[in-house]
Amino acid sequence: MHYRTALVTGASSGLGRGLALWLARRGTRVFAAARRQEPLQALAQEAQAAGATLEPLDMDVARAEETVARIRQLDADCGGLDLVIANAGVGGETSGKRFPWERTKQMIDINVTGAAATLSAVLPQMVERGRGHLVGVSSLAAFRGMPTHAAYSASKIFLSTFLESLRVDLRNTGVRVTCIYPGFVKSEMTANNRFPMPFLLETEDAVERMGRAIVRGAPVFAFPWPTARFAQLVHSLPDALFDSLAGRLL
């Protein structure tokens, strides 16, 4: 598929930055959204040097009502968004033994409410136009409630289930839905991870895989396959066995 216009949230670093540039280099007019504007300006200059069109957009998805209004206005101004990628997200530990409510609320505001606001803002308009593509970046951590990561795993479970229901609802409307489950990728989010990270991917490699999956309209894309297969196996374990194995990571 070819997209005239695309919105990518969380585009100031990591996968969001890479996806915004990947799409722009392929002829899409990309609106790169994030809170941090200095990295976005640098990204716009990099895109311009490559002859691509990328426009920075100041947006904090944690402010859900503002996000919806901003995306609707953008949709009207650009003649319709063809692709919306809800990538903005935050992580971190939320151990049940020392549970940090402030960090948990931040994850819910960004990973749950912010993602839902981003994806639903112009969904009625996409249905009316009979075209569009919604993409959410979940995580392999959504397959089970990972130890010390209750808020993060739960936030990604919400996103994947939200997208699954939308995918069923939107059949035969012309609007596609894709849920992406990345494994471990080198980024700001994983830089301080104290757990082992098998099959750790470079950002460029992960972006290329995600970009190809989006363009071909894959409904679900989990990668890399060894980590994805392991996550699927863990998902199928009986609760008692999972609790025992996961407890050894603490």
Side-chain angles (χ1 to χ4, degrees), residues 124-208:
Q125 290 86 339
M126 284 184 171
V127 171
E128 184 177 346
R129 291 191 290 261
R131 73 174 191 275
H133 194 171
L134 301 177
V135 177
V137 180
S138 182
S139 167
L140 291 179
F143 281 71
R144 294 291 310 229
M146 302 308 296
T148 74
H149 284 73
Y152 182 72
S153 288
S155 71
K156 293 304 184 180
I157 290 169
F158 167 86
L159 180 58
S160 59
T161 304
F162 182 72
L163 289 166
E164 184 175 56
S165 292
L166 287 183
R167 188 179 73 240
V168 174
D169 290 346
L170 296 171
R171 291 183 63 194
N172 304 318
T173 65
V175 180
R176 297 195 182 203
V177 178
T178 295
C179 184
I180 298 179
Y181 297 88
F184 296 111
V185 179
K186 286 186 179 180
S187 67
E188 292 180 11
M189 188 179 294
T190 60
N192 298 317
N193 197 333
R194 61 187 180 92
F195 292 122
M197 294 187 287
F199 303 101
L200 180 68
L201 295 176
E202 296 292 338
T203 302
E204 294 77 9
D205 184 4
V207 166
E208 183 66 29

Side-chain angles (χ1 to χ4, degrees), residues 57-77:
L57 190 65
D58 185 4
M59 182 185 295
D60 182 357
V61 300
R63 299 176 178 177
E65 297 303 325
E66 292 180 18
T67 295
V68 170
R70 190 74 185 275
I71 295 175
R72 286 177 177 170
Q73 187 61 56
L74 178 64
D75 184 77
D77 292 344

Side-chain angles (χ1 to χ4, degrees), residues 199-247:
F199 303 101
L200 180 68
L201 295 176
E202 296 292 338
T203 302
E204 294 77 9
D205 184 4
V207 166
E208 183 66 29
R209 298 183 191 209
M210 294 167 67
R212 291 200 304 263
I214 292 169
V215 169
R216 69 173 177 264
V220 175
F221 180 59
F223 72 100
W225 75 263
T227 318
R229 181 56 179 157
F230 178 74
Q232 291 165 350
L233 289 173
V234 170
H235 178 71
S236 66
L237 291 177
D239 290 343
L241 180 56
F242 170 76
D243 291 354
S244 176
L245 294 174

Side-chain angles (χ1 to χ4, degrees), residues 95-111:
S95 171
K97 296 177 181 177
R98 301 173 301 278
F99 199 76
W101 166 245
E102 293 76 11
R103 182 178 296 173
T104 298
K105 183 180 184 304
Q106 181 191 36
M107 280 192 231
I108 293 172
D109 289 344
I110 296 174
N111 299 5

